[in-house]
Amino acid sequence: MLGYYAATAIGSLRRSKALAILMVLVIGLGIGASMTMITIFHVLSGDPLPGRSGQLYAPVIDPRPLARDRSESPEPDGNFTWPDAMNLLRAKRADRQAAMAGGAVPVRPTQRGELPFYETGRYVTTDFFAMFQVPFAAGSGWRSEDDEARARVVVLGSELSHRLFGNASAIGRSVRLKNTDFRVIGVVDHWNPQPQFYAQINGRVFGKADQFFLPLQTAQELNLDFNGRFSCWDSGGDARTSDHCVWLQFWTQLDSAAKASAYRDYLRSYWREQQAHGRMPRPANPQLYGLMDWLAHEHAIPDDLRLQLSLSLGFLVVCMLNVVGLLLATFLRRSNEISVRRALGARRWDIFLQLGVESCVIGFAGGVLGLLIACLGLWSVRQRPDGYAQLAQMDLSMLFATFLLALVASVIAGLLPAWRACRIPPALQLKTQ
């Protein structure tokens, strides 16, 4: 029966080609615009470390002095001072923990004639690699002893390794970063979680992978260039080791809810201990955010994308309201045909089902057009300079979602016109024949 209704629907649409084309175009535009933004939002709001994020936490303490005016944000930015980060590392209250900061250094190629170039990377402590399960193509990270010894070792990203050494092994080779030679002990195998949750959220959250990893204390000793927000207060100096300047990110791995609760209690006791030494005068209220909660708290997805998503969904609603009017006009023009079918014994449900199938056919055609428009929209996004632009790719789930949205929207749009058409008394129409 559904096959018969589908064939009838196609025949009816052929008799009203102009209206059919207009409805498909309207649905296609609405679906294309909305699916472009839904796909981008879907990609950017995904879990950067599936299966691992539930064990990762970002602790937040507030070392700032008491607020002096209302313009100051009541919420800390989540960054740590050097003394606080080192104290938490030495306490070892988590299963794993790491302090980190972004950096950019000039790389001096070993080949003659090649000019130095800048690369961005990360200054981290040893647990970074195991905690985030960073995959290695060769070698490994460094040991905790190398952190304390300020070892001149480096882990390269796969792109930088290939640029410097081609297909040859980089392990054991020397790389000159800024004015210091570092020994390569590992090469990361295409690791680039999106968003880069471990970075400062207000910085480079989406985009290119880090191309080198250096021991944090080594970078500090060599005074290597630092990327990110560096915030100081009072007259405690602006040195990176000052307890009046926040700039480091800190992450912990806690393998159970009980350990997370215990760590939160430890942060509270640490806060009170620092108050006894004249620091951290604000009320002790430490926070411990899970990875996904941290991204939501820090608004990792740009606000303009949320606005564009709302506008695209609003545009889809407007398009479907227009389709309601077009379907109503199409169905009411066929009142005579519907009345004859009713007179021959067709039930209202049969008419309603026939017109519903016709709406689905229009929706499917609109979905095909919407998919093409969405692919074109995603291609245009990839031409933008934004860090997230290259992530604008439609996966299989979004492909199915495009057609599902088109069918659901067209069926909903067809409910009122179909109900109105099947309620027409056949006797009134037959009298006019």
Side-chain angles (χ1 to χ4, degrees), residues 54-356:
Q55 300 173 333
L56 300 177
Y57 294 86
V60 175
I61 57 177
D62 193 352
R64 297 175 300 171
L66 294 173
R68 296 176 180 175
D69 56 68
R70 295 183 179 180
S71 63
E72 182 178 339
S73 171
E75 293 289 335
D77 61 11
N79 291 333
F80 277 70
T81 67
W82 179 274
D84 290 327
M86 295 301 109
N87 288 341
L88 295 188
L89 286 174
R90 284 191 290 267
K92 297 182 179 179
R93 295 300 185 95
D95 295 295
R96 291 191 177 98
Q97 54 199 347
M100 62 207 71
V105 298
V107 181
R108 304 184 183 277
T110 56
Q111 298 87 347
R112 286 186 178 182
E114 292 196 20
L115 297 175
F117 57 91
Y118 268 85
E119 277 291 359
T120 56
R122 195 75 38 186
Y123 310 138
V124 303
T125 53
T126 182
D127 278 353
F128 178 93
F129 303 103
M131 184 167 62
F132 296 147
Q133 293 186 339
V134 180
F136 280 86
S140 63
W142 53 85
R143 302 168 300 171
S144 58
E145 293 84 356
D146 295 323
D147 276 329
E148 297 297 330
R150 277 72 168 175
R152 272 43 171 178
V153 294
V154 63
V155 171
L156 298 180
S158 56
E159 293 180 21
L160 181 56
S161 175
H162 186 269
R163 181 171 182 178
L164 292 175
F165 305 111
N167 294 325
S169 174
I171 304 301
R173 305 282 288 271
S174 179
V175 173
R176 192 166 185 81
L177 304 178
K178 202 172 182 179
N179 298 315
T180 305
D181 289 328
F182 292 84
R183 178 171 55 88
V184 180
I185 61 172
V187 177
V188 173
D189 186 17
H190 302 292
W191 185 72
N192 188 22
Q194 298 291 330
Q196 292 177 332
F197 60 91
Y198 52 85
Q200 285 188 0
I201 296 300
N202 69 323
R204 183 174 58 89
V205 183
F206 296 96
K208 184 181 178 183
D210 291 311
Q211 290 304 307
F212 66 82
F213 299 89
L214 291 175
L216 176 62
Q217 297 185 63
T218 301
Q220 172 64 20
E221 183 177 74
L222 296 173
N223 198 30
L224 296 181
D225 297 332
F226 156 71
N227 276 349
R229 185 173 62 250
F230 190 81
S231 177
C232 299
W233 58 87
D234 290 344
S235 57
D238 59 358
R240 293 183 189 174
T241 55
S242 170
D243 64 356
H244 289 68
C245 299
V246 291
W247 60 288
L248 292 168
Q249 294 77 61
F250 198 91
W251 282 84
T252 62
Q253 176 185 328
L254 301 163
D255 294 338
S256 68
K259 289 182 178 180
S261 178
Y263 195 83
R264 189 178 288 104
D265 291 338
Y266 162 69
L267 290 176
R268 186 173 290 105
S269 65
Y270 173 79
W271 195 319
R272 290 170 178 162
E273 177 187 333
Q274 293 301 307
Q275 287 179 332
H277 290 83
R279 295 185 63 232
M280 302 174 66
R282 301 195 180 201
N285 184 31
Q287 301 295 322
L288 193 62
Y289 292 95
L291 191 159
M292 298 305 294
D293 292 334
W294 175 248
L295 293 177
H297 177 265
E298 290 296 293
H299 305 286
I301 299 178
D303 290 336
D304 62 330
L305 282 182
R306 296 181 183 275
L307 176 60
Q308 291 175 40
L309 176 63
S310 300
L311 292 176
S312 67
L313 293 177
F315 179 65
L316 175 61
V317 171
V318 171
C319 288
M320 298 320 297
L321 289 176
N322 281 277
V323 171
V324 170
L326 293 172
L327 283 174
L328 187 59
T330 301
F331 293 163
L332 292 181
R333 286 176 57 185
R334 294 160 52 193
S335 300
N336 293 341
E337 171 192 334
I338 293 172
S339 297
V340 170
R341 285 205 61 203
R342 289 290 312 282
L344 294 175
R347 299 168 299 175
R348 286 178 176 172
W349 168 250
D350 296 324
I351 303 299
F352 186 83
L353 184 59
Q354 176 189 343
L355 300 180

Side-chain angles (χ1 to χ4, degrees), residues 378-396:
L378 294 173
W379 174 84
S380 68
V381 171
R382 291 195 293 272
Q383 311 312 306
R384 296 171 58 178
D386 302 286
Y388 61 82
Q390 296 307 312
L391 303 176
Q393 305 279 351
M394 181 169 288
D395 57 21
L396 192 59

Side-chain angles (χ1 to χ4, degrees), residues 386-413:
D386 302 286
Y388 61 82
Q390 296 307 312
L391 303 176
Q393 305 279 351
M394 181 169 288
D395 57 21
L396 192 59
S397 63
M398 289 293 99
L399 178 65
F400 286 121
T402 300
F403 287 103
L404 181 61
L405 180 60
L407 291 175
V408 170
S410 60
V411 168
I412 293 176

